Amino acid sequence: MLSLHHQVFIEVARLLSFTKASQTFFLSQSAISKQIKSLEAYYKTGLFERHGTSVSLTEAGKLLYDKLQQAVQLQQELNQAMHELNESFSPPTKLSIGASTTISLYVLPPVLSAFLRQHPTIQIGALNRNSTNIQKALLEHEIDVGIVESEIRLNTITYTPFMTDEIIAVCSTNSPLRARTLTVEDLSTIPLALREAGSGTLAAVEAALESQGVSQAGLHIRIRLGGTEALKNFVLADTCLSFLPRLAIMHELESGTLVEVPIAGLSITRSFHFIQRKGTENNLWANAFICATQHYYSIRE
């Protein structure tokens, strides 16, 4: 098992912040600093460069962080192998899951609840970011498994299909667009509210429009907002048009506060995938989570 010194170092190196690491471990900042100083004394070298209120890793720190990430992976593999030999061996396990906004808000909550009931010894950490940043978090060992709707695939990541979702054009019930059927050409003059760069929802919308010969430059984009809920709430209060995942607005469509606006010839779907770092596809608990999630939604189709 990794020592507390090394666990603290990993967290400070990951966050590049003594303050944030102290919050993770529920320790004082001085206690965190003491742990790092002990490691620096042991290795007889500095592990962090201090720059006022920020820090960065030295070359020795980068080396240690890289090797400790490998040690964490080996520890997980050892625990898994011992569990397979003897099921009564079930040490407290941490599983870090990352998901894009739509999945985090509308898909994962019931799955996580059921999964924790089935595996009470697991501690789950959930990270909610857009697809680009979830892939980044996976490669930086911040999470063990993720769910994204990214159009950009990286050769260092394994992608496993999960589910599909439809993205539709919507407006508020107060918008003059509510009774119209649009064409893609109309989008050049209609005020739009869209997601931020890096969003999987935005990437799917852009790809569908480009297939119809419409580029972002030709759109009348009034505002960009980070997060599905922020965008949805803006559209509810405004009269512009937006594109939102059907999964995220089922209640609003049923209540009539949002209205689907047909766009002739335009259909937008996107596929969600589980992602894992290549070489970690045999992680027991990540695979148990993937199987549980797939099963939960397969029996509801």
Side-chain angles (χ1 to χ4, degrees):
M1 294 178 60
L2 292 176
S3 69
L4 177 60
H5 294 78
H6 288 108
Q7 292 177 46
V8 167
F9 170 80
I10 289 172
E11 196 66 8
V12 176
R14 182 177 71 83
L15 298 170
L16 292 178
S17 169
F18 283 71
T19 302
K20 292 178 181 178
S22 70
Q23 294 166 357
T24 300
F25 286 98
F26 301 102
L27 295 172
S28 66
Q29 190 169 333
S30 61
I32 294 293
S33 296
K34 186 177 179 180
Q35 297 285 336
I36 297 302
K37 286 178 181 176
S38 294
L39 275 183
E40 291 179 325
Y42 177 78
Y43 290 113
K44 300 188 185 327
T45 187
L47 300 173
F48 292 96
E49 298 262 1
R50 277 75 169 176
H51 314 283
T53 57
S54 64
V55 297
S56 61
L57 287 165
T58 63
E59 286 304 311
K62 291 176 184 177
L63 174 63
L64 181 60
Y65 185 56
D66 180 59
K67 296 301 182 183
L68 287 177
Q69 293 292 356
Q70 296 175 39
V72 169
Q73 182 63 34
L74 284 172
Q75 181 174 304
Q76 290 173 346
E77 291 173 5
L78 174 60
N79 286 344
Q80 178 174 329
M82 295 299 287
H83 176 77
E84 290 169 356
L85 284 174
N86 180 5
E87 290 189 0
S88 65
F89 173 72
S90 186
T93 303
K94 291 183 179 180
L95 180 65
S96 296
I97 300 166
S100 54
T101 306
T102 301
I103 293 291
S104 292
L105 293 176
Y106 311 105
V107 174
L108 277 188
V111 176
L112 292 178
S113 178
F115 188 71
L116 285 170
R117 286 195 300 272
Q118 188 177 1
H119 304 287
T121 63
I122 293 182
Q123 280 188 319
I124 289 181
L127 185 68
N128 173 15
R129 295 179 185 168
N130 67 36
S131 292
T132 297
N133 286 324
I134 289 297
Q135 291 190 114
K136 183 172 181 284
L138 181 75
L139 293 177
E140 293 179 351
H141 296 257
E142 195 172 344
I143 58 174
D144 303 303
V145 60
I147 308 176
V148 299
E149 67 271 27
S150 180
E151 296 292 322
I152 301 172
R153 298 212 174 185
L154 305 175
N155 58 15
T156 50
I157 291 177
T158 297
Y159 296 81
T160 303
F162 172 31
M163 67 188 301
T164 58
D165 181 32
E166 182 184 13
I167 297 171
I168 60 174
V170 294
C171 67
S172 76
T173 190
N174 299 317
S175 171
L177 300 170
R178 68 187 181 279
R180 291 181 59 182
T181 295
L182 305 177
T183 66
V184 290
E185 289 76 17
D186 292 327
L187 298 179
S188 63
T189 58
I190 292 174
L192 296 174
L194 299 177
R195 283 287 303 275
E196 82 287 3
S199 157
T201 299
L202 178 65
V205 171
E206 288 176 342
L209 291 177
E210 285 174 6
S211 72
Q212 299 281 330
V214 178
S215 68
Q216 250 197 102
L219 300 176
H220 181 196
I221 302 171
R222 183 178 179 192
I223 190 171
R224 292 184 183 274
L225 290 164
T228 302
E229 284 295 301
L231 182 56
K232 178 171 67 175
N233 288 327
F234 177 83
V235 176
L236 285 167
D238 199 76
T239 58
C240 64
L241 186 75
S242 187
F243 292 90
L244 285 163
R246 189 179 291 277
L247 274 173
I249 55 173
M250 296 294 289
H251 173 72
E252 287 77 12
L253 291 173
E254 289 171 5
S255 67
T257 53
L258 286 180
V259 179
E260 182 173 359
V261 180
I263 300 178
L266 185 67
S267 175
I268 308 175
T269 58
R270 38 100 178 262
S271 297
F272 293 104
H273 290 80
F274 297 101
I275 58 172
Q276 295 170 279
R277 289 184 302 279
K278 285 196 173 172
T280 68
E281 296 91 345
N282 292 325
N283 183 301
L284 175 67
W285 296 116
N287 287 336
F289 164 74
I290 290 172
C291 289
T293 307
Q294 289 173 324
H295 177 70
Y296 184 92
Y297 281 99
S298 67
I299 63 177
R300 284 162 175 74
E301 290 179 350

